[in-house]
Structures are given as structure tokens and as C-alpha cells.
Amino acid sequence: MVSAISSSVQSVQYSSSTSSDDAAQEAALEKQIQTLEDQAKAAQDQVDAARLQQQIAALEAKLNALKAADAAKQADQNQSTTSAAATRQAEFDNKPTTQSHLFSM
């Protein structure tokens, strides 16, 4: 009977030790999984950030091209307006605006 009690106590101690080891392994594995998930998220965040930076650069290039086109168009309009205004003023002042007016018969 003493040996049965001794055997039973050893069994409980072994079971307790195994449970403790299993819990420690589970905790270590859960921590490792969490670490890897965090690394995966950080890597995905970097990929997403790089993709967004590319989209931003493309949109900025498009915006700069539109601004340049608007500036060129505005410059053409200003030059055309100035030329048209000068022509109208010359006509108002009765000044010849082209060489064809210089020839008189």
C-alpha cells in the first residue's frame, strides 16, 4: 500500500511538472507567434507605405505637369492679350499696325 501511495505521488508530481513545462512551452510559442505576427504587420506596413509613396509621387508629377501646362497657357494668353491690346490701341490711334499700311498710292 505504501508503494501504491508512493507511485501515486510520483505520478502527480510528474503530471504537475509536465503541465508546467507544457504551459511554459505554450507561452513561449504564443510569444514567438505574436513576435512573428508583429514582424509580418511591420513588413506589410512598409510595403503599403512604399506603395503609397509611389502613388503620391505619380500624383505629384501629374499635378506639376498640369501646373506647368496652365502656366504655359497663361503665358500664351497674356502674350496674345498684350498683342491684341496693342493692335487695338494702334488702330484707335490711327497708327499703321502692319507694313501693308505703309504703302499708299
Side-chain angles (χ1 to χ4, degrees):
M1 180 147 174
V2 171
S3 84
I5 293 173
S6 174
S7 171
S8 172
V9 168
Q10 286 176 348
S11 168
V12 169
Q13 287 175 343
Y14 175 75
S15 172
S16 169
S17 173
T18 303
S19 293
S20 151
D21 286 345
D22 287 348
Q25 284 181 339
E26 287 176 9
L29 288 173
E30 287 174 357
K31 184 177 180 181
Q32 189 176 8
I33 289 169
Q34 185 61 46
T35 300
L36 291 175
E37 286 176 345
D38 291 345
Q39 289 175 354
K41 185 180 183 312
Q44 186 60 44
D45 288 347
Q46 289 174 354
V47 169
D48 290 343
R51 186 179 312 120
L52 291 173
Q53 288 296 333
Q54 288 176 339
Q55 290 175 349
I56 289 168
L59 291 174
E60 285 177 339
K62 197 178 224 182
L63 177 62
N64 290 338
L66 285 173
K67 285 181 179 180
D70 284 347
K73 189 175 182 181
Q74 185 64 36
D76 285 347
Q77 286 178 348
N78 288 344
Q79 185 177 9
S80 175
T81 301
T82 302
S83 177
T87 302
R88 284 192 303 274
Q89 184 63 41
E91 289 172 354
F92 180 76
D93 293 341
N94 246 352
K95 293 181 182 174
T97 57
T98 63
Q99 288 184 340
S100 65
H101 290 272
L102 295 177
F103 298 104
S104 58
M105 295 192 178

